[in-house]
Structure formats: structure tokens, C-alpha cells
């Protein structure tokens, strides 16, 4: 039986949230030892791919209330307003802290931090480092984390099970991929920072590692997943690969046109089009910067009207940035030019970029409070895998990088406090659980008889089903069909077989474990979606086209059941100062406390 590796705190995930949490623990108490477990080297976490920027109030004409209001109305009133107020208040200090650690924020000529507009934000508040913001943020966090001796990195370790004993989460069983051994890493507090699950859909901006493992780990030990029906599509991914063309392309003045060359968004109540040649542009919210859910839905309507362009990879519209000039494109959007050239074969200085909506972000995740605490004592979560919730039914672009910092730090501090208040563990019991996990992995995959089912087939059918029944528009019958497919896929998964039986960097074993997470997470998405019989934000039911606050101004909580569909419960949304109102874009923001009567 493998001996336990002992630490005070285990963090699973080395992206923005995981690294920020590790630094927060070290800042509170350098005596606490932290294990940072990641299935890839931390710098390969998806945070590195973020392009556009991170939101926080910095300009004199902006305010915390304005940031809060944009976030809340963008969320279609599903965000918890106490959490949003906490988030916007702590956001500026987190971005300044990052600057002090070395993050090279882009600047105005006079030295002020430069900010760009972003979808659904009524004022410019998105800090950026050219169009490689996530890369620079992650570098800054990683190099800072290396300064602390108390943080030990377990790179290329794959977490497969949370260790729960005596009603408390006390560690994790993880496969050291180099040796194939399952090892128990014990701790008095565990923080999940495992990122999102966009890979449960076929077309996504998400890296291949975003398979929802951490959500599934929590779900399997009885922790509910909150608001899982809310899946964000980004309106501008490249066809075929799903590679993201950042919203910054539109915030710098890019426009979306259909096959007739028409700026079609003007027909979808997203504000007035601005003259892209107006020198004041883009100082105001344009319709291209409407929220992502609305823009993605507009694409589907254009497709139904026959206004989209057929490409070898399905229907697309055009994102035109040619009028911005080669100089601006090279200065502000170099990565957009690089991606379009390499992956779509067109130079955006000369031709429009073909784009389509692609799955981008999970608003839902592991249910936590404002300190990242889950209902299971000792278990915390932060970043995209968690749901606090500040994103509600639709996240505003550039809020989530900041969220990884604010809530990574909060969860780190809360876990440190929890660890200091709780006594030693029964390592023997935890080692026995990890030994059971080693036996399960061996029995189910490495020493099993050859089964009849293959990873790629099940994954492909999962993708088809999710795209068809749980995409941008949903219906009762469509969702039921996906749910039936998922039942069959779960059953077929029991007969799955892998060819590679080796112990050293067995990537097929990783893929089969990830597929199991994907099936669990997809189930939570579909069943939460089935039971929410209204349309709100990213969850659009054509059979229930209206928002229904009387019945559904509530968070969904999906609890896994051993057999059969998850049990869905509901939790009130916290409303502090902004009573639910209609989402309208292109108007001035509302004053707090008066939202009800102002027609928004
Ligand atoms: C292409 C792209 C562009 C984006 N652009 C922006 C933007 O401009 N602004 C913005 O605010 N947001 C943006 N987002 C969203 C934002 O980047 C993410 O939500 C955020 O970075 C997630 O950070 P995280 O720390 O929660 O997770 P991640 O960065 O995804 O890290 C997850 C970590 O968990 C580890 N992990 C997962 N499973 C396991 C396991 N089983 N065992 C061990 N380790 C595991 C991984 O190794 C990884 O280290 C973008 C997202 C994408 C995909």
C-alpha cells in the first residue's frame, strides 16, 4: 500500500485560480505546506489561452456599482448580488497586486493602465496585456509561486478521487503519470481549481484538458453542482477547430456581417450601430459588444433565415476587422492575425475572418459560498470549476480571469484558516481508500478483459447528442433525447476497453478517466436544463421562451444519484440592491437601488 504524501493543503489545478490560491496560503502562513497537483505543467493550464483581458474598475468615470450592475444584468439576474459586490470591490486590488508581481499590463501613452471595452460592460474596464492576457497573468502567478518553499508541485499527476473520512475531505488520490501509481496526498483542506468542462461539446474554444474532472470529483462525493444548465457560447470561434477569436477584436472595432454584407446585429435589439470610422469609436458600447448569449442566439436566427455562409465546417458569418488598419491589428491584435492566418488560412488585414458560435465557458460548477467553501467540510473550490455565483445565467467576458484571482485568493485564505483549526488525520484510513482506488483503476481499465466499447465512439456520440439537444436553443423533447443517450452511454462505458496497459504516461488511461468525468458533468447539464422550464441568459428553451422569475429566480443544485438521473434542488438567488429587471443594451446604466422602475 502506497504511503501517504502529507501536506496541510492540497490544491488540484495549476491555472489562475490554483496558483493564486497557493500564493494566498503562503502569504497567510509560510509554515503551511501546500501540494499543487496538476495533470499538466501549470503553464499549460487553460488560463494561458485567455486573450482579451481581465475586468476591474480603474477609470475615474467608472464605479464599483457600475461594474456590479453590468455583471448582474449580464447574468440575467441569476448572480448572487452579495457575491458580485464582493467581487467588484476586490477586483482592482487583485489586478494591481498582479502588476506588483510583474504582470506587464498594456499602458496608455501617458502611463495609465490601458482598458478596453468588453461585451456587456457599459464602460471600458478590461485590463489587458496585448491579446495574450492569460499568458502573462499565468506567467506572473507561476513565477511568484516559485518563490515560496512551502509550495510543492506535483506536475503531471492526475486526481481521480477525493478522500473523505469522518465527514471531512482530507485529501486526494492521484495517479503519478510517470509511474502509473495511485498515491494518496492527504491534507486538512482541499481546494478544487480544475477549470471548466467545455469539452463535453464538440465545438469549443476550450483546451483538450477541460473535461470537468474537478466538478465530477466533487459530484461523486455528494457535493452538488450549481447552475449547470448555463453553458456559454462565444459568438466568434473559428470553424473546424473552435479556436477563439477574442472579443477584443470586436472591442477594437471589428464588426459582424452576414452573407449579404449586412451588420445583422442591428436587427436584434442590441443598441445602435456606431460608425466604425467615427474617431471616438470605440468609446461606447456597440451592438457587436452585446452579451455573448445574445450574439450567439442572433447567429442561429440568421442561419434560419438563410443569411449565413456555408463553409466546409458548417455555417459561418464574417468578422471584419480590415478597417482597423494593419498597424492597429499588429499592435493590439497580433494573436488574432496569427490564429486567423494559421488556422483559417486568411489574413484578417485583407479578408474577413469566418466565425461561428462555439462553447466557451461553464457558468455553473461546484456549489460554494463567498469563501470558496463547499457543503463538504474541508473541501473548497475556486475559478471556473466553482459556482459562487457571480456569473449567473451568462458571464460577462473578462470577469472570469479576475474571478480566478479574487476567489482563488479567498479560497486559499479560507482553506488556510480551516487547516489551522483542524487536527491531524487518520493517514491509515486514507491510505486504504487510495489503495482501493488503485485496485479500481487496475480492475476497470488496466487488467480488464477486452471490452467491446471504445473511447472515441462514446465521446463522439456524447458530442453529437450535446450539440443537438443541449446547445444554444433547447426543448423538452430534445433534452429528453440527450438524457436517454447519456443513460445508454453510461451503460456502454462499463464495457469500455483501452489498448495501452502500460504504466508510464498512459495517455489512453487519462482519456478514459476524463471521459467518465465528461459523462457525469453532461448529465448534470442536461437534467438541470430539463427542469428549468424558462429562458434565461444562455439557457434558451424554445418551448418556454420567457424568463419566469416567479418560479425560477433560483439556482439549481444537481446532486448525483447512484442510479438514475440527478436530483435537482433549488436555492434562492441573493438580491441586494438591484431588483430583477429586463436586460436592455445600448442604454445608460441604472442607478443602484432604482433598477425596478427604470425600464431596464
Ligand atoms: C481560449 C479562451 C480565452 C479566454 N479568454 C478570456 C479572457 O480574455 N478573459 C477572461 O476573463 N476569461 C477568459 N477565458 C476564460 C478563463 O480563461 C478561464 O475561465 C480561466 O482561466 C479558468 O482558470 P482556472 O484556474 O479556473 O482553470 P484552468 O486554467 O483551466 O486550470 C485548470 C487546472 O486544473 C488542472 N486539472 C484539471 N483536472 C485535473 C485532474 N483530474 N487532476 C489534476 N489536475 C487537474 C489542470 O492541469 C489545470 O492546471 C478564456 C477561456 C478560453 C478557453
Amino acid at each position: 500500500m502506497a504511503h501517504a504524501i502529507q501536506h496541510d493543503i492540497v490544491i488540484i489545478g495549476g491555472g489562475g485560480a490554483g496558483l493564486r490560491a497557493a500564493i494566498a496560503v503562503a502569504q497567510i502562513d509560510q509554515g503551511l505546506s501546500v501540494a499543487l497537483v496538476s495533470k499538466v505543467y501549470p503553464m499549460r493550464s487553460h488560463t494561458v489561452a485567455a486573450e482579451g483581458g481581465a475586468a476591474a474598475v480603474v477609470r475615474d468615470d467608472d464605479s464599483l456599482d457600475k461594474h456590479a450592475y453590468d455583471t448582474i444584468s449580464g447574468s440575467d439576474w441569476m448572480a448572487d448580488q452579495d457575491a458580485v459586490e464582493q467581487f467588484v470591490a476586490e477586483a482592482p486590488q487583485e489586478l494591481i497586486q498582479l502588476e506588483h508581481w510583474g504582470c506587464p499590463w498594456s499602458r496608455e501613452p501617458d502611463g495609465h493602465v490601458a482598458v478596453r471595452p468588453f461585451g456587456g460592460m457599459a464602460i471600458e474596464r478590461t485590463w489587458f496585456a496585448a491579446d495574450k492576457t492569460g499568458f502573462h497573468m499565468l506567467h506572473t502567478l507561476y513565477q511568484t509561486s516559485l518563490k515560496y518553499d512551502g509550495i510543492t508541485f506535483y506536475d503531471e499527476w492526475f486526481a481521480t478521487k477525493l478522500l473523505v473520512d469522518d465527514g471531512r475531505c482530507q485529501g486526494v488520490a492521484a495517479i503519478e503519470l510517470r509511474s502509473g501509481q495511485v498515491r494518496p496526498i492527504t491534507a486538512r483542506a482541499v481546494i478544487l481549481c480544475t477549470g471548466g468542462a467545455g469539452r463535453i461539446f464538440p465545438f469549443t474554444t476550450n483546451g483538450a484538458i477541460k473535461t470537468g474532472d474537478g466538478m465530477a470529483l466533487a459530484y461523486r462525493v455528494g457535493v452538488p453542482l450549481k447552475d449547470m444548465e448555463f453553458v456559454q457560447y462565444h459568438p466568434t470561434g473559428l470553424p473546424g477547430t473552435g479556436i477563439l477569436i477574442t472579443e477584443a477584436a470586436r472591442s477594437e472595432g471589428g464588426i459582424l456581417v452576414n452573407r449579404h454584407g449586412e451588420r445583422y446585429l442591428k436587427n436584434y435589439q442590441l443598441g445602435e450601430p456606431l460608425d466604425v470610422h467615427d474617431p471616438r469609436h470605440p468609446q461606447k458600447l456597440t451592438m457587436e459588444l452585446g452579451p455573448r448569449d445574445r450574439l450567439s442566439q442572433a447567429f442561429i436566427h440568421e442561419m434560419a433565415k438563410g443569411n449565413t455562409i456555408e463553409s466546409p465546417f458548417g455555417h459561418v458569418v464574417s468578422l471584419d476587422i480590415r478597417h482597423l488598419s494593419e498597424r492597429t491589428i499588429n499592435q493590439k491584435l497580433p494573436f488574432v492575425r496569427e490564429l486567423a492566418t494559421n488556422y483559417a488560412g486568411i489574413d484578417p488585414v485583407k479578408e474577413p475572418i469566418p466565425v461561428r458560435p462555439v462553447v466557451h465557458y461553464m457558468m455553473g460548477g461546484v456549489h460554494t459560498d463567498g469563501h470558496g467553501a463547499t457543503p463538504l467540510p474541508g473541501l473548497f473550490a475556486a475559478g471556473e470549476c466553482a459556482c459562487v455565483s457571480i456569473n449567473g445565467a451568462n458571464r460577462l467576458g473578462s470577469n472570469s480571469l479576475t474571478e480566478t484571482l479574487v476567489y482563488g485568493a479567498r479560497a486559499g485564505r479560507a482553506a488556510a484558516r480551516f487547516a489551522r483549526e483542524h487536527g491531524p488525520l487518520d493517514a491509515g484510513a486514507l491510505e486504504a481508500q487510495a489503495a482501493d482506488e488503485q485496485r479500481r483503476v487496475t480492475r476497470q481499465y488496466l487488467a480488464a478483459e477486452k471490452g467491446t466499447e471504445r473511447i472515441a465512439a462514446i465521446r463522439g456520440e456524447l458530442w453529437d447528442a450535446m450539440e443537438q439537444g443541449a446547445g444554444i436553443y433547447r426543448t423538452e423533447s430534445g433534452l429528453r433525447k440527450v438524457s436517454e443517450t447519456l443513460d445508454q452511454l453510461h451503460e456502454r462505458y462499463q464495457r469500455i476497453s483501452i489498448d495501452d496497459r502500460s504504466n508510464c504516461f498512459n495517455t489512453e488511461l487519462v482519456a478514459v478517466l476524463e471521459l467518465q468525468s465528461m459523462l457525469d458533468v453532461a448529465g448534470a447539464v442536461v437534467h438541470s436544463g430539463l427542469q428549468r422550464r424558462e429562458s434565461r441568459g444562455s439557457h434558451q428553451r424554445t418551448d418556454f421562451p420567457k424568463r419566469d422569475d416567479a418560479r425560477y429566480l433560483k439556482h439549481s443544485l444537481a446532486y448525483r444519484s447512484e442510479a438514475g438521473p440527478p436530483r435537482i434542488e433549488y436555492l434562492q438567488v441573493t438580491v441586494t440592491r438591484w431588483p430583477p429587471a429586463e436586460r436592455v443594451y445600448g442604454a445608460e446604466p441604472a442607478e443602484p437601488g432604482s433598477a425596478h422602475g427604470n425600464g431596464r
Side-chain angles (χ1 to χ4, degrees), residues 13-14 16-17 38-39 45-47 52-53 159 194 213 244 361 384 398 400-401:
S38 176
K39 67 179 174 178
S45 304
H46 190 72
T47 298
T194 46
D213 303 351
L244 176 74
Y361 185 86
E384 192 173 338
S398 76
S400 61
L401 282 177

Side-chain angles (χ1 to χ4, degrees), residues 54-57 62 66-67 70 115-116 121 123-127:
V57 169
D62 199 1
K66 286 182 185 166
H67 190 184
D70 286 350
V115 277
R116 56 172 45 134
M121 301 267 190
I123 198 165
E124 294 91 322
R125 64 169 73 92
T126 298
W127 304 37

